[in-house]
Amino acid sequence: MMTKKELRQQIRRQKQLHAGDDSATILEKLKQLPSLFSARTILLYCALPDEVQTESLMNELAAQGKTVLLPKVIDDSTMELRRYTGKKDLSPGAFSIMEPSGERFTDYAAIDIAIIPGMAFDSRGHRLGRGKGYYDRFLSLLTSKTIKIGLCFPWQLVDDVPTDKNDISMDCVIC
């Protein structure tokens, strides 16, 4: 089995081959989930150029009156959530990721769905992040009722993601 570092290197090479992959098909699959339709509070992410692009989904869900939350990096180990109400809320933050300036959100028990990016996922819901641990530390704060959905391109779905005790698995992966 590959180490996390080796798998990250492999995925980075793959990303160069798949630059510009279409996110729309993946988002359409996600929107077919009944749990997304019924969710009131949804954690999403602002995508980096090599991730499934979520801006259209953020805007669509906000327009439906759902509470859309986005992460904001606070320091080397912590991220917090902010409400997203529109593109005007966003500005470049840590790691050149667009981050929200909206109202802080701390009612983690109210989050129905958490849609999470990753470098790679496997069929058991194991997730490989970028290596800083922000999402794993944050996801450990959510309740068991929050549905955790990994979002990735098909080539990011691998046979086996190495895990350790701090890794948080997804309930499902959409690719």
Side-chain angles (χ1 to χ4, degrees):
M1 181 196 297
M2 277 192 256
T3 66
K4 288 183 178 188
K5 182 179 180 179
E6 290 167 338
L7 183 53
R8 281 188 189 97
Q9 289 170 339
Q10 175 186 319
I11 294 295
R12 283 187 187 102
R13 287 190 298 272
Q14 287 288 320
K15 285 181 178 193
Q16 292 170 350
L17 300 173
H18 295 278
D21 274 7
D22 182 29
S23 297
T25 304
I26 297 164
L27 293 180
E28 283 306 314
K29 284 183 187 177
L30 176 65
K31 289 191 278 188
Q32 300 305 311
L33 293 179
S35 54
L36 183 65
F37 181 77
S38 63
R40 292 184 310 278
T41 304
I42 301 161
L43 168 61
L44 255 170
Y45 63 92
C46 282
L48 288 167
D50 62 358
E51 294 174 332
V52 174
Q53 298 299 298
T54 57
E55 185 177 346
S56 64
L57 182 62
M58 292 175 349
N59 292 326
E60 186 177 329
L61 294 172
Q64 292 172 9
K66 296 180 185 288
T67 299
V68 176
L69 307 171
L70 299 173
K72 179 176 179 66
V73 172
I74 301 306
D75 57 35
D76 287 344
S77 63
T78 311
M79 65 183 199
E80 66 183 25
L81 301 183
R82 301 283 178 104
R83 289 181 187 267
Y84 173 76
T85 58
K87 196 170 185 171
K88 68 186 180 327
D89 286 353
L90 300 177
S91 60
F95 312 107
S96 300
I97 299 170
M98 296 300 284
E99 292 184 337
S101 58
E103 174 190 341
R104 187 165 180 219
F105 186 91
T106 57
D107 185 8
Y108 301 148
I111 300 172
D112 299 306
I113 293 181
I115 300 170
I116 310 298
M119 295 281 292
F121 295 89
D122 67 23
S123 62
R124 293 179 309 284
H126 298 140
R127 173 185 170 273
L128 178 72
R130 293 185 182 263
K132 302 261 189 234
Y134 284 100
Y135 274 102
D136 288 315
R137 280 188 295 277
F138 179 78
L139 291 172
S140 70
L141 304 173
L142 300 180
T143 68
S144 59
K145 80 165 188 69
T146 301
I147 300 169
K148 296 176 291 305
I149 301 172
L151 207 57
C152 69
F153 294 108
W155 52 267
Q156 291 175 287
L157 194 61
V158 299
D159 289 337
D160 193 41
V161 170
T163 59
D164 61 40
K165 62 180 175 56
N166 296 320
D167 292 331
I168 305 290
S169 293
M170 302 294 102
D171 296 307
C172 74
V173 177
I174 306 283
C175 62

